[in-house]
Amino acid sequence: MPPPFINAPHPLLPSIDRVYKAEEINAFGKDRGPAFYETCHLYAQSLWQIGFPAKCILLLNRALSAPLPGSEPVLQRLPLPYQAMAWLLLNRPEGQFIGNPRRHWQHLATRMVEPDKDLRTWRAWACWYLATEILPESEFPSDLEQIREEGVVEPTRAQIIEHLTRLSPADDVEQWHRALAWTHQQLGREPAQRLAVRIRRIGESELPVVKRLGHEIWRKCYPGIISEAQIEYMLSIWYQPTTMAREMEVRGTWFALIEAEALGPVGYVSFERYPENVAFINKLYLQPELHGRGVGSAALTWVEERAREMGCRSVQLRVNKHNAGAIRAYQRAGFVFVEDVCSDIGSGFVMDDYRMEKKI
């Protein structure tokens, strides 16, 4: 009788002619040598072909728990399975449970135990990063509750490279880079490059540019986070040039445009000085297609520099609890959670936010 295979073979895993069983992995006990590594790949292929992609991922995680040196011959035949993971995410089958790989690797990386805890942690973050490149965050969100309660900071690409370079006994960085390059090719996407920008304080005459950008950016970024009715309401009360000019006059609010070479204004920032020696950022937005290119980080650095000049000791802001991308960016910039804040803004709408702070 032929094996009960549902899916065609995974092209980056070894060929099999039978169904593998859990007992074949369990028999290795604590042994994480070459035979264990190869059997994980064989069992992963088996699980994929019988229609269990989520379990296939778990077996490839177990393969990555093997701290094999790069001299092991099995690694020539079966490279570290970063690209095999990416293939699974790109070819996730309709109707077969895959879970939420992004959240899965977040949990795995932050709850890792010995042996080889550090290496396995950063291999999990490397897989997490692949998931962030492939899976839409709206369908496969991070665990924001854990991020808030435990102060988890999702790492950057550079941090993953740094730690894998330090910890890897094999060729993790090379294999991970290959997987990323292949993923971008499959998605028809160019790797994000940092963009040179300048941040320029503006006067009242240029506030209509802030209004235009605000309407464009909010309508791109906020659907799914707050209702369209609330988007339009908040734009109507906060983005009138006369309202913003009044903030400048009465509260001493600074407004600045974020400008990119050959693109012109791509975002804006506003902040004011509170009596408690706090610089409070009221607005920081940029066109979503420029996220991940260092633009927001440059704007935050600019505000911090101005805040120091004013004698401030910290920078604070509020961010919507469901705005995962912004929370990630602020944490990477050094902001920490201070408190939950829910404010009634009228017409039946509320702002349900985290207040975050960075000491300077």
Side-chain angles (χ1 to χ4, degrees):
M1 179 180 295
F5 293 154
I6 297 173
N7 297 326
H10 187 310
L12 300 175
L13 296 177
S15 299
I16 58 173
D17 57 7
R18 65 178 179 85
V19 174
Y20 281 71
K21 302 292 185 182
E23 299 80 50
E24 296 175 76
I25 285 291
N26 296 337
F28 286 96
K30 295 182 179 180
D31 178 4
R32 293 296 179 266
F36 170 83
Y37 179 84
E38 183 165 13
T39 304
C40 286
H41 282 73
L42 292 165
Y43 190 16
Q45 176 75 280
S46 177
L47 289 166
W48 162 256
Q49 288 195 244
I50 63 175
F52 295 113
K55 291 182 178 180
C56 177
I57 288 173
L58 296 180
L59 263 294
L60 293 180
N61 285 342
R62 297 191 70 179
L64 287 170
S65 74
L68 301 179
S71 58
E72 282 291 348
V74 70
L75 292 178
Q76 303 304 311
R77 293 185 290 107
L78 297 173
L80 294 168
Y82 293 115
Q83 189 170 332
M85 293 285 203
W87 188 94
L88 275 167
L89 302 184
L90 286 164
N91 294 275
R92 54 192 186 277
E94 189 74 29
Q96 292 180 19
F97 178 74
I98 196 170
N100 183 342
R102 183 187 191 123
R103 185 173 297 202
H104 161 72
W105 279 308
Q106 174 188 323
H107 290 169
L108 188 64
T110 55
R111 296 169 181 167
M112 194 67 73
V113 296
E114 298 293 354
D116 305 300
K117 176 182 175 180
D118 288 346
L119 173 62
R120 293 166 60 209
T121 292
W122 286 98
R123 283 178 167 178
W125 278 127
C127 294
W128 167 88
Y129 192 94
L130 288 170
T132 68
E133 293 289 285
I134 295 169
L135 303 175
E137 192 164 15
S138 58
E139 297 178 41
F140 300 91
S142 301
D143 183 348
L144 283 176
E145 183 176 350
Q146 187 204 18
I147 287 170
R148 169 69 175 91
E149 292 181 355
E150 300 178 20
V152 173
V153 181
E154 297 170 319
T156 64
R157 177 173 177 159
Q159 289 170 327
I160 293 170
I161 292 170
E162 175 191 348
H163 287 284
L164 285 182
T165 300
R166 176 175 58 88
L167 295 164
S168 173
D171 58 349
D172 278 80
V173 174
E174 179 183 350
Q175 293 299 331
W176 187 60
H177 274 153
R178 287 183 181 179
L180 281 171
W182 178 81
T183 295
H184 292 150
Q185 182 182 45
Q186 297 299 305
L187 295 172
R189 181 192 305 162
E190 293 292 328
Q193 302 294 330
R194 294 187 73 85
L195 188 66
V197 297
R198 72 166 181 166
I199 295 94
R200 177 174 60 85
R201 187 182 184 183
I202 62 171
E204 182 178 346
S205 64
E206 292 187 271
L207 289 176
V209 180
V210 175
K211 176 182 178 179
R212 174 181 62 79
L213 287 168
H215 282 246
E216 291 176 5
I217 295 169
W218 277 55
R219 289 167 179 158
K220 292 176 184 176
C221 293
Y222 272 111
I225 297 176
I226 57 177
S227 69
E228 291 188 15
Q230 182 163 344
I231 293 170
E232 297 306 318
Y233 174 74
M234 294 174 76
L235 289 173
S236 72
I237 61 173
W238 288 340
Y239 280 88
Q240 295 303 323
T242 53
T243 302
M244 292 184 282
R246 182 70 173 163
E247 292 177 25
M248 297 170 92
E249 177 185 353
V250 174
R251 306 203 313 249
T253 302
W254 285 44
F255 281 83
L257 288 174
I258 304 168
E259 299 174 324
E261 186 177 358
L263 296 175
V266 295
Y268 55 93
V269 59
S270 78
F271 72 96
E272 60 188 283
R273 187 183 189 280
Y274 283 3
E276 303 85 359
N277 293 323
V278 171
F280 193 89
I281 298 175
N282 298 310
K283 300 176 176 68
L284 174 52
Y285 297 99
L286 62 145
Q287 296 286 8
E289 57 269 25
L290 300 182
H291 290 177
R293 300 187 64 180
V295 181
S297 176
L300 286 170
T301 299
W302 183 86
V303 173
E304 289 172 27
E305 290 170 352
R306 305 293 79 74
R308 288 191 188 95
E309 292 168 359
M310 294 176 176
C312 294
R313 298 195 183 101
S314 70
V315 178
Q316 294 185 4
L317 51 83
R318 286 175 61 164
V319 59
N320 186 285
K321 290 179 179 178
H322 302 289
N323 194 344
I327 292 169
R328 184 179 310 117
Y330 295 139
Q331 284 188 295
R332 287 172 173 173
F335 285 77
V336 297
F337 297 102
V338 175
E339 63 177 345
D340 297 21
V341 185
C342 189
S343 303
D344 186 334
I345 58 172
S347 296
F349 298 118
V350 298
M351 288 173 52
D352 192 14
D353 297 339
Y354 297 127
R355 184 163 66 90
M356 303 183 74
E357 180 178 50
K358 180 178 181 178
K359 302 291 186 182
I360 58 173

